[in-house]
Amino acid sequence: MSVQDHISQWLTESAAHLHLNSKPVLRIAATALAALLLLLITFNFLLPSAQVPKFSAYSPPDRIDYGLPVTKNPLSLPPQYHYSPPKDLLIPSSPDGGIAAESRIGKITILFNGKDPTLVRALQTHEDHNRKFGYPLLILRHGLLDGGNLNGIWNKPAYILAALLEESRKPENERLQWLFWHDADTVLLNPSIPIALFLPPLPANSHTLLLLTADPHGLNNGVFLLRVHPWSISLLTAVLAYPTYNPSAELQYRDQSALAIVLNSTSYFRRHWTVVPQRWFNAYAGELEDEYSHKFQVRRGDLLVHFAGCPPDERDTVMGKWLETAGAHLEEWEVPVERTSLPGEVKKFWEEQMVLQQKEGKDEEDTMMKAARMAAVVQGWMQEFGGGMGEEAQRGNETVGRLKKAIEEGEDRIALELVMGELTVDAQPLQKLADQSKAALTKQAHAVIVIAERFLLEHTTEAHKHEAQVVQSMLEKLRELLATEPDNVKLIRTCMEDLKLEANKYANMFPAT
C-alpha cells in the first residue's frame, strides 16, 4: 500500500468518526484540519524532488531601486546595504562553500535619494562592469550620521566602516576580500578592465591593504581599493573619531584630510598603504581631443573618469558628454584589457615597488642601528653625569626609554627619527657636560702622550728595549683612538689609564736623577 493509500484510509476513518460526533462545529473543524494535514504531507513528499540550485550567501535584488526607499531592514545596518547585479549574475558557490573568486571584490558608494539624474546615470554606467565580473554593489541611500562634528560627507567613512564590519563577521571564505569605493560622480568607461588587475601581487605585497591615488592637492579618496582587514577597521574608526577628538583641527577637505593625517600618524598606519598611478582607477576629465595633455587625465581604454570637485549645478553640463560617450559603448573606449597599456604599467609599477621596498628596508635597518647607538650613548651620559641634573636627567631618561621601546617594537624609520629628534633636544644638557668632559679627557690624553714620548726618547736602552716597545705601542694606540674615535670616551679613558700604568712601570726601572 502506498503512502497516499494510507493517507486516504486514515482520512476515511477520520471522517466516519467525525460523522458520529453530534457537534457540527467540531465536525467542520476536524475535517478542515485533516485536509490541511493531507496538503502539507503531500507537498512535503513532492518538494524534495525539485532541484534547487545552490548559490552563495549573497542574494542580489533584481535591480537597483535608484532613489526609492527600501522598507525592509532585517539588520541593524542601513537598509541600503544591498547587492545590485541582476539575478542572472548570481555567483554559484565555490567548492569550499564560499563565494566564487570573481566576486571577492565588491563596489561601494553613496547615492542619497537618487534626486540627481546625472549621478543616477553615472551609477548606471557601472552596471555592465558589475555584470561582467560579478561585482556586488553596496549603496547607501540616506545619511547615517546627524549632528555634532559628524554629518554630510562623514557618512562616507561611516558607511565603509559599516561594510567592513558586516563583511568581517562572516566566515573568511564567504566574505569579500576588497572593497572598491567610488564616488557617485564617476563614469565607468571601459567595462573590460577587471579591478583585480590593480591589486598588489602576493605574497610580496601582503602588507599592502589600501591603494590610493594623489593629485596636486594631495591624497584623493574619491576612488580607492581597501582590503577587508582589521587594519582597515582601525583606520576608518580613527578617521571618524578625528574631528571629535580634534575639534579645532583645520580639515580643508574634511574626511579626506582626516584620512591623510591618520595614514601618516603612526607606524601601524604608515606601513600598509600605497599611492598608485591616478589613471589606473581615478583619472580626471580633460579634453577628449587631447587625452595625453596631463598625467592625471583619462585616456581611451581607461577604466573610469572621476569628476572630483564638480559643483552640483554644473554636473549635467560637465558630465553630460562623458555619459554620452559611455552610453554609446564605442570600441575606441571599450578596449579589451590585453590591448591597453594597463597590464604592462601595473606590472612595471609593482616591480619598482619591490625594489623601493628593499631600499626602504635597508634604510630602516640603518636607522634602527643609529637609534640603538644613540640610546646607548645617552644612557652612558646619564650614568656618568645625570646624578645631579634633576628634572633634565629625568626627562632625558624617559625619552631614552621611549626610544628603546620603539626599537623593540620595530617602529618604522619615521617614528624612530621623531623620537631621536626629541632625544636630541632632551639630551642637550647631558651632551654639554659630555662635550666638556670629552674636551678635558682629550687634553689629558694628549698630555700623557707627550710625557710618555719624551720619557722614551730620554731613557730608551738596549736592556729595556722590550718594555719601551710596549709603551710605544700603547702610546700609538691612544693617538689613533683620539684621531679616529674621538667620541669613544670610555675606550679613550681606558687606553689612557693603561698607558699611564705601563709608562710608570717603565719609569720605575730607572733610578731618579
Side-chain angles (χ1 to χ4, degrees), residues 3 47 54 73 110 132 181 255 271 296 344 374 377 385 400 405 418 456 475 494 500 513:
V3 174
L47 186 60
K54 181 183 178 183
N73 184 18
I110 290 177
K132 180 169 185 175
W181 171 272
D255 67 309
R271 282 180 167 149
F296 300 122
M374 184 177 188
V377 169
F385 310 113
V400 168
K405 183 179 179 181
L418 286 172
L456 287 174
L475 184 151
T494 300
K500 287 168 64 177
T513 57

Side-chain angles (χ1 to χ4, degrees), residues 456 467-478 495 499:
L456 287 174
E467 290 80 0
Q469 288 177 343
V470 171
V471 175
Q472 183 66 36
S473 175
M474 297 184 70
L475 184 151
E476 291 173 357
K477 180 180 179 182
L478 179 57
C495 189
L499 174 59

